[in-house]
Amino acid sequence: MIEDEEIDILLNDLFDIHGYDFTNYSKASIKRRVLRLYSLDKFPSFAELRYRIKTDTTYLKRFVEEITVNVTEMFRDPSFYQSLRTDVLPVLGTKPFIRIWHAGCSTGEEVYSMAIFLKEAGLLRKSLLYATDLNPTVLEKVRKGIFPLDQMKHYSESYIGSGGQKDFSSYYTANYGQAKFDQELSEKIIISTHNLVSDSSFNEFDLILCRNVLIYFDKDLQDRVLKLFDASLGPLGYLALGTKETLKFSAIQNNYKQLNREKIWKKIV
């Protein structure tokens, strides 16, 4: 068993030695993931785990990958995507150029979902999708645009649930148990590492999506990240969060109006 004080020691090591700042992540979530890894890799003691993290860069990479959350899927929450399709994209379509930021995008399934929507709306050619994450390994998966073929039936159902009317399989090529999505989609995706804890704004966007990331942060860090998004959104831009996330009680809530029951807000100030 690892005590709370030892988790704090690990987080301080990660920041002081390697520059990864997880000190404002939810302590319960971080501890749960550290304990899982501790058990999975059969460490005989906390001291051994701490030594590996401090000295073994290969293991450090594994550790960071395991304690950061990398769970996503295409067209997750179809009603949310339906609102994006019917309420947001027609407005964005009036702009001469569209910049969309997927913050904490993980392996990129939602980025490709958005690219498909933009293509169907005839907006892909004048759009750029910025896909960022703390973890460079998951970004490699975004770059390749290859996802497990056995997920495609579920993704196809979610696509239809979000208002999709085409044959979903027309967007990818199946081969050896993998589905590789069309290059036309990936060509509009700009991929970069970005740390929501420490990095600043890097452009002005029309839409920012950061779904199911804030739930792993404590209140102070949530407020800091929301201010970063507010500073990164252009006038009348949109901010989209996960189903359990909200702008209520945040420092920026008065700058936004929620569109409908979905977690999409429009910037009004």
Side-chain angles (χ1 to χ4, degrees), residues 21-26 195-199 213-229:
D21 187 359
F22 294 107
T23 52
N24 287 106
Y25 278 54
S26 162
N195 190 337
L196 289 170
V197 177
S198 57
D199 292 342
V213 177
L214 295 181
I215 52 175
Y216 297 101
F217 297 165
D218 67 16
K219 181 67 169 59
D220 288 344
L221 183 53
Q222 286 178 5
D223 274 341
R224 202 187 322 159
V225 173
L226 289 173
K227 288 178 182 175
L228 168 66
F229 293 154

Side-chain angles (χ1 to χ4, degrees), residues 9-20:
I9 290 171
L10 277 184
L11 297 185
N12 288 333
D13 284 348
L14 284 165
F15 183 64
D16 293 341
I17 300 172
H18 304 295
Y20 288 107

Side-chain angles (χ1 to χ4, degrees), residues 90-119:
V91 179
L92 296 187
T94 64
K95 296 175 176 289
F97 194 78
I98 303 170
R99 289 188 178 88
I100 298 174
W101 179 16
H102 289 261
C105 69
S106 186
T107 44
E109 281 86 339
E110 294 204 39
V111 187
Y112 280 87
S113 304
M114 179 60 72
I116 289 171
F117 269 15
L118 291 167
K119 177 178 169 58

Side-chain angles (χ1 to χ4, degrees), residues 29-181:
S29 174
I30 285 283
K31 184 174 182 177
R32 187 165 58 249
R33 288 171 179 274
V34 170
L35 287 174
R36 176 181 174 277
L37 196 59
Y38 183 81
S39 172
L40 204 62
D41 292 348
K42 298 180 170 53
F43 280 99
S45 67
F46 168 74
E48 180 69 19
L49 170 63
R50 187 184 181 194
Y51 179 77
R52 286 286 299 277
I53 290 172
K54 290 171 71 173
T55 61
D56 184 340
T57 55
T58 301
Y59 190 77
L60 170 69
K61 184 178 176 184
R62 168 173 168 73
F63 183 84
V64 171
E65 287 174 11
E66 288 295 325
I67 66 169
T68 52
V69 180
N70 295 304
V71 179
T72 184
E73 59 184 72
M74 297 191 79
F75 304 101
R76 181 169 43 177
D77 310 319
S79 62
F80 166 86
Y81 271 91
Q82 193 162 43
S83 182
L84 276 183
R85 184 194 288 273
T86 58
D87 301 326
V88 176
L89 288 192
V91 179
L92 296 187
T94 64
K95 296 175 176 289
F97 194 78
I98 303 170
R99 289 188 178 88
I100 298 174
W101 179 16
H102 289 261
C105 69
S106 186
T107 44
E109 281 86 339
E110 294 204 39
V111 187
Y112 280 87
S113 304
M114 179 60 72
I116 289 171
F117 269 15
L118 291 167
K119 177 178 169 58
E120 294 184 354
L123 302 174
L124 186 61
R125 289 183 62 185
K126 66 172 184 177
S127 301
L128 280 179
L129 297 92
Y130 294 76
T132 69
D133 199 281
L134 164 71
N135 187 337
T137 301
V138 297
L139 290 176
E140 273 306 305
K141 296 183 179 179
V142 185
R143 185 170 286 107
K144 292 176 180 174
I146 299 174
F147 305 110
L149 188 60
D150 59 10
Q151 295 290 325
M152 292 305 125
K153 182 176 183 296
H154 172 56
Y155 292 168
S156 177
E157 292 169 352
S158 295
Y159 164 75
I160 293 168
S162 66
Q165 297 182 345
K166 296 193 176 181
D167 179 356
F168 185 61
S169 64
S170 67
Y171 290 111
Y172 62 83
T173 303
N175 206 357
Y176 296 105
Q178 306 279 354
K180 179 171 176 51
F181 278 77

Side-chain angles (χ1 to χ4, degrees), residues 223-257:
D223 274 341
R224 202 187 322 159
V225 173
L226 289 173
K227 288 178 182 175
L228 168 66
F229 293 154
D230 187 47
S232 305
L233 270 176
L236 303 178
Y238 294 91
L239 176 60
L241 302 177
T243 54
K244 296 180 180 177
E245 297 163 332
T246 183
L247 291 190
K248 286 182 180 177
F249 313 115
S250 74
I252 67 168
Q253 66 171 337
N254 292 330
N255 299 349
Y256 291 82
K257 179 180 180 182

